[in-house]
Amino acid sequence: LFALIYAIYFLYVREQRAGASLRRRMVLASMRALVLLVLVVIWLEPVLATDIHRTVESFTLLLVDGSASMGLRDRYPNAEDARRVERALAGTPGAQPAELTREQLAEAVLNRDEARVIRELAERNAVHVFRFADKLVPVGQVTATGTVVEKPQSGKEGERAAGEGENPASRPAAFRIPHAAFGNATDVGRAIRQAVESQGGAPIAGVVVISDGRFNHGEPAEVVARYARNKKIPIIAVGVGDPSPPRNVTVAAVEAPPNVFVKDPFKVTAHLRAAGLDNARVRVELLEKPRDASAAVPADSKEAAVGPGGRIEPVTFDRRIGEAREVNLIVRVPPVEAETLTDDNQQEVTVRALENKIRVLLISGGPTWEYQFLSRLLERDATFNTRDRSPAPSWLSRA
């Protein structure tokens, strides 16, 4: 552009036209340069723009697992895992990892130092807190100013859908996460969807999920991740509990006849299964508790081997009841080391012992070997009352 303008002025200065003074030639050169400048400006397409900066409030969603599995206590057999939990509980007076359930552990960390973790999250975005299991329950909100807005819980267990009858009440105090497990299933996908949709299209900065990581209901993790990726919402998962495989022994069923006769032998069969105890041995105890007794007494015990995959062969006990009464037979497995769940370690069954004997009428045409064998067998058994209807031998009649 500058080269063209220079060329225009150079040519007009050198041009010798009749009647054209230098001043007129400079005016004509300036007009041509101006036209050239206008064409260049048109080619560059200038736009007059106004920049408007606007701050749009976004939210951080904090989802705390409230399913039944969060009520378990972990023993942390791995020393490094135990130290990690102790570091997380640093500053919480009287908190011992082995004494806290998973949900109490999460509550202790979140509420430590006047809910410092939640308030630091709220410095950038307001934090909406939810509990979830098979459904989503709103707990409250923490704003950037530190104001705590708690949503009152209705119903016996404080369960209700997101966004119903909020009536919030503000108070500048530590934010408390209720730690009563209220659901039997963990549906993370449904909880994330409901939490995001409850914001009415407002921007979501991220979703923080605190859970023991057990998906047993709803969508798999891959579908949940795809949903969040499509909405460009990051999910931060925080695991709670012992990461090692759980150790557990379950008395699945106990089989025994409901009615037996006094002193009649019968069998009690226990079906067990185990997890995380391959190639170990467990002790199986049989306890007897009469209906009118206050405590059960040990009756027998055996050891069972745990095979691959937690398979245990059925354990059978031989029993007999000496008098007519109703007895509760309890099959129990003492808790093994670092066992997570002990509520399923025993099962019981009721057996009624009857006093009446079985009345048998034995009829035979003669004293055959079969008759002799069967009659002696029944006579020796105290549960049978036998009547003989066989003809007497001829030699006995003559005698």
Side-chain angles (χ1 to χ4, degrees):
L1 176 61
F2 285 107
L4 289 175
I5 293 175
Y6 176 79
I8 291 172
Y9 279 96
F10 178 78
L11 292 175
Y12 270 94
V13 170
R14 296 290 300 273
E15 187 177 12
Q16 299 294 330
R17 292 188 178 183
S21 63
L22 179 61
R23 181 178 181 182
R24 182 175 295 181
R25 293 198 303 271
M26 290 297 100
V27 171
L28 293 175
S30 299
M31 292 177 62
R32 287 179 179 270
L34 181 61
V35 171
L36 187 59
L37 288 172
V38 171
L39 291 176
V40 170
V41 170
I42 294 175
W43 175 70
L44 292 176
E45 298 181 357
V47 176
L48 180 62
T50 302
D51 293 332
I52 301 176
H53 298 274
R54 182 177 58 183
T55 301
V56 180
E57 184 180 13
S58 59
F59 300 97
T60 299
L61 307 182
L62 177 60
L63 278 61
V64 182
D65 194 347
S67 60
S69 61
M70 291 289 286
L72 300 178
R73 287 180 173 84
D74 295 295
R75 300 180 184 272
Y76 304 100
N78 187 293
E80 180 58 31
D81 295 333
R83 285 193 294 269
R84 185 182 299 113
V85 176
E86 291 174 356
R87 288 195 298 268
L89 292 174
T92 303
Q96 297 296 327
E99 298 176 358
L100 299 179
T101 65
R102 295 173 181 176
E103 197 160 17
Q104 289 171 341
L105 175 61
E107 181 196 15
V109 173
L110 290 176
N111 288 327
R112 187 181 63 186
D113 301 332
E114 296 293 314
R116 179 173 57 86
V117 174
I118 299 178
R119 295 184 186 279
E120 287 181 355
L121 287 174
E123 290 178 359
R124 290 178 174 268
N125 310 285
V127 179
H128 288 190
V129 186
F130 300 86
R131 286 191 308 157
F132 74 94
D134 52 355
K135 63 177 65 176
L136 187 72
V137 179
V139 175
Q141 174 183 341
V142 179
T143 63
T145 59
T147 303
V148 177
V149 180
E150 291 191 356
K151 294 181 173 61
Q153 307 297 314
S154 62
K156 181 173 63 175
E157 296 180 349
E159 299 178 16
R160 59 181 175 85
E164 295 180 1
E166 295 181 355
N167 298 322
S170 300
R171 61 179 181 87
F175 195 81
R176 308 301 296 178
I177 303 293
H179 59 271
F182 67 93
N184 295 322
T186 304
D187 194 340
V188 179
R190 180 181 180 185
I192 291 178
R193 288 179 183 271
Q194 288 186 348
V196 172
E197 292 168 1
S198 68
Q199 306 308 309
I204 305 298
V207 178
V208 181
V209 181
I210 300 178
S211 173
D212 58 1
R214 294 294 179 184
F215 277 55
N216 55 18
H217 194 270
E219 302 170 329
E222 294 78 8
V223 177
V224 180
R226 189 161 53 248
Y227 167 79
R229 189 182 304 113
N230 292 337
K231 289 186 170 292
K232 298 181 179 179
I233 299 175
I235 297 179
I236 296 90
V238 181
V240 180
D242 186 5
S244 60
R247 308 182 73 188
N248 187 41
V249 180
T250 301
V251 181
V254 177
E255 297 178 356
N259 298 300
V260 297
F261 290 102
V262 174
K263 298 181 181 179
D264 189 15
F266 63 94
K267 295 184 181 297
V268 180
T269 304
H271 299 273
L272 301 92
R273 60 174 181 266
L277 293 169
D278 291 1
N279 303 320
R281 299 187 68 84
V282 296
R283 184 176 181 83
V284 185
E285 300 175 346
L286 178 65
L287 292 82
E288 187 174 296
K289 182 177 180 294
R291 176 67 69 175
D292 55 351
S294 59
V297 296
D300 198 357
S301 65
K302 292 185 177 181
E303 281 196 353
V306 182
R311 177 179 173 80
I312 303 177
E313 294 295 331
V315 180
T316 302
F317 298 94
D318 294 321
R319 294 299 300 155
R320 68 174 68 210
I321 302 176
E323 59 184 55
R325 60 182 178 178
E326 194 171 278
V327 176
N328 289 337
L329 297 176
I330 304 170
V331 176
R332 182 180 67 184
V333 178
V336 299
E337 184 181 0
E339 185 172 2
T340 304
L341 184 64
T342 59
D343 295 342
D344 55 358
N345 282 36
Q346 73 177 38
Q347 289 273 7
E348 68 178 69
V349 64
T350 302
V351 177
R352 180 182 300 172
L354 305 177
E355 190 173 11
N356 296 334
K357 294 183 179 181
I358 301 176
R359 301 172 63 187
V360 178
L361 176 62
L362 187 60
I363 302 175
S364 176
T368 62
W369 286 110
E370 290 83 359
Y371 165 78
Q372 297 290 341
F373 175 79
L374 184 57
S375 62
R376 299 298 181 271
L377 177 65
L378 297 177
E379 288 172 359
R380 285 196 299 267
D381 197 325
T383 62
F384 290 94
N385 186 5
T386 308
R387 297 186 63 186
D388 190 354
R389 284 294 183 269
S390 61
S394 58
W395 61 268
L396 182 59
S397 300
R398 288 194 299 271

